[in-house]
Amino acid sequence: MSLNSVLSPAVSINNDKQTDLNNPSDGKYICAIRTFPVFGTLIWGGRTLDGNSVDWRYINVRRTMIMVEQSVQLAVKAYVFEPNDANTWVTVKSMLNNFLFNLWKQGAFAGSAPEEAFSVSVGLGSTMTPDDILEGKMNVSILVAISKPSEFIIFTFQLQMQQS
């Protein structure tokens, strides 16, 4: 990330100094402000404070997943008043597949084909039991492969269907 109107950092940090700032044993990584001859002054790094986490180590992964999770949650809220049956599951799965397919086309997910980039599961025998259906619970599971650093992340959510 470039910085505007910055002359130079107060402390000059090179690659060796930044390596000393990063400690894999405790998961602490520093995204240092560094000056590069060709590129100028940049924030060099893209790690979160959760350095030991496999899924949430990188800022781009966390931001993409926040966007996907929030978008999916908003989209499925429209289905709480629908019957918890196969027709609703097919509709929800199709809607989510379409949303994720568009993200894949934009480069958000890894994989040369959509099947390698994401999958959506919903329905009896897949994500739900007969008891879940009786209790008005629709369980959806989504698997995505974020493009960088190509990590697979699964998130599952439960929609409580409106009961009369």
Side-chain angles (χ1 to χ4, degrees):
M1 172 189 300
S2 66
L3 301 172
N4 297 328
S5 304
V6 174
L7 300 176
S8 67
V11 176
S12 179
I13 296 178
N14 60 23
N15 194 45
D16 292 334
K17 287 183 182 177
Q18 187 167 0
T19 301
D20 292 339
L21 295 173
N22 297 329
N23 188 353
S25 64
D26 66 5
K28 303 298 183 208
Y29 294 90
I30 305 295
C31 299
I33 299 174
R34 295 177 52 183
T35 300
F36 296 89
V38 176
F39 302 110
T41 302
L42 305 171
I43 299 174
W44 193 249
R47 292 181 183 248
T48 66
L49 294 177
D50 198 3
N52 285 333
S53 170
V54 174
D55 293 336
W56 311 123
R57 182 179 303 162
Y58 299 100
I59 292 170
N60 66 309
V61 172
R62 187 68 211 138
R63 290 182 73 188
T64 302
M65 286 307 299
I66 287 169
M67 183 275 298
V68 170
E69 289 170 352
Q70 289 177 349
S71 299
V72 166
Q73 286 175 354
L74 284 172
V76 298
K77 280 185 180 181
Y79 295 93
V80 297
F81 298 107
E82 297 296 325
N84 195 6
D85 62 14
N87 290 334
T88 304
W89 307 332
V90 168
T91 304
V92 167
K93 184 174 181 172
S94 297
M95 175 199 54
L96 294 176
N97 273 323
N98 187 45
F99 170 68
L100 296 170
F101 178 78
N102 287 328
L103 289 177
W104 171 74
K105 283 191 348 186
Q106 295 171 22
F109 305 135
S112 58
E115 300 80 29
E116 298 172 2
F118 64 88
S119 69
V120 177
S121 299
V122 59
L124 183 62
S126 173
T127 60
M128 293 183 283
T129 65
D131 288 339
D132 291 328
I133 296 168
L134 290 174
E135 294 172 6
K137 297 175 184 175
M138 181 169 55
N139 300 323
V140 181
S141 182
I142 298 175
L143 169 72
V144 294
I146 301 295
S147 61
K148 291 188 173 57
S150 299
E151 298 174 339
F152 283 94
I153 298 174
I154 299 173
F155 72 96
T156 303
F157 62 93
Q158 185 177 84
L159 185 65
Q160 183 64 48
M161 307 302 281
Q162 183 67 31
Q163 297 184 11
S164 53

